[in-house]
Amino acid sequence: MRHQFVFAALMATAASPLRSQMVIETATSTIEFVGLKRWTIQMIKDSLAVYAPNDSLTAHACAAILRLKLHFADAAVSVYTGMRRDNPKRYMAITLVEPQDSGQVHYKPEFHDSLPTRAEWTDAYAAFRANNQIAQTAIQTPSFFAPRLSPEDSARFAPVAALHALVASQRDSRHFDQALRTLETDGNAQNRAMALIVIANFAARDSAWCALADALRDPSSGMINATASQLLTMLTRSAPRPIDWRPVAANLRYIIDGTNLFGLDQLLATLGATSIDPALAPVLLEGGGTLVEAKLHSGDEHARSAAVSFLSQISGAPHSTDPVVLERWMHSLRVP
């Protein structure tokens, strides 16, 4: 154990300068770049000065600026405040897939057909859209998926009562099968959003978990991706158990390599909490995993914890949480 501690300390010391090169300190923010390989912060600043002189890395739409104006293959920004009592500055984690790695990003194909919103789902979607903040809280609350709400939840979620009515009424196999077909074939995003919520009723089915995870690659606006991530959050917290991820392993690799960076941390946390099979390590990580490795050393505590949880499980060493040990194991997958 002492040898491991000394080795970890040496590695951490060696890694510190590298991480410092990926961090910008301003008067109000600490900005960390996660996932840079060939690009540097200075290259990003120089490109912004040429192609987006009126935009800033501290702007609210930073991720969109990096994607649309600098042509990064994907980008996501997480912002935290009050992480440390002795440091009032906000912390920003900017996770990136560089332009030359666009081949790693694989969203699902665009849909060819779009059906009208299902009549029995119309009221639920209307409530979801009109009260989106409450709806987002509801679908991340396990008790919202009970057949009957408690008096407290009934009052709390009254504006989205129609959404709970959908949850309460769609609980048998035909509803599950219908929701899966909708998610896979219906170009109407409203229908797909409601289908995701129906699918979350079936935590006892591995196929429900797989469908929610694969929906992180939905080709439409962020609504579907965000809803899938929120439902995975709810299930991971309320009903974690071993899941057979083999049917969607190849698709999970796309997310781990950078498809939908906003959903990556939650996917890693979910895979860790559901005892991802170490036999899937080559499928998910062999020759890649650079974003996961970068998150092991990030100042984003949530991202770092998710990466550790995932790697400790898929490495077959669930009690190992040392980032250096996990990183060495990842490197072993890259050796021919």
Side-chain angles (χ1 to χ4, degrees), residues 188-226:
N188 186 332
Q190 299 178 15
N191 285 337
R192 296 202 306 284
M194 296 303 97
L196 286 170
I197 293 170
V198 171
I199 288 169
N201 260 335
F202 298 87
R205 301 190 183 204
D206 287 7
S207 53
W209 291 76
C210 290
L212 291 174
D214 198 30
L216 294 173
R217 299 190 306 116
D218 191 274
S220 71
S221 65
M223 176 181 69
I224 306 299
N225 302 333

Side-chain angles (χ1 to χ4, degrees), residues 19 32 34 91 93 293-301 303-304:
R19 182 177 180 275
E32 181 180 11
V34 179
Y91 168 83
E293 184 177 352
K295 286 176 180 289
L296 279 175
H297 302 288
S298 172
D300 182 341
E301 295 179 8
R304 189 171 64 249

Side-chain angles (χ1 to χ4, degrees), residues 117 120-141 143-149 153-154 156-171 189-201 223 227 230-231 234:
T117 302
E120 66 270 34
W121 295 355
T122 301
D123 291 345
Y125 181 76
F128 181 88
R129 183 174 182 179
N131 306 278
N132 193 250
Q133 195 69 38
I134 296 174
Q136 289 183 51
T137 300
I139 65 174
Q140 294 179 81
T141 303
S143 58
F144 186 76
F145 287 82
R148 293 179 179 274
L149 294 181
D153 280 349
S154 292
R156 182 184 181 191
F157 299 125
V160 290
L163 187 61
H164 182 262
L166 174 68
V167 168
S169 65
Q170 306 266 304
R171 307 186 76 86
Q190 299 178 15
N191 285 337
R192 296 202 306 284
M194 296 303 97
L196 286 170
I197 293 170
V198 171
I199 288 169
N201 260 335
M223 176 181 69
T227 299
Q230 289 168 344
L231 291 167
M234 183 273 296

Side-chain angles (χ1 to χ4, degrees), residues 32 45 73 123 152 260:
E32 181 180 11
K45 288 181 176 179
D123 291 345
E152 179 182 359
N260 184 11

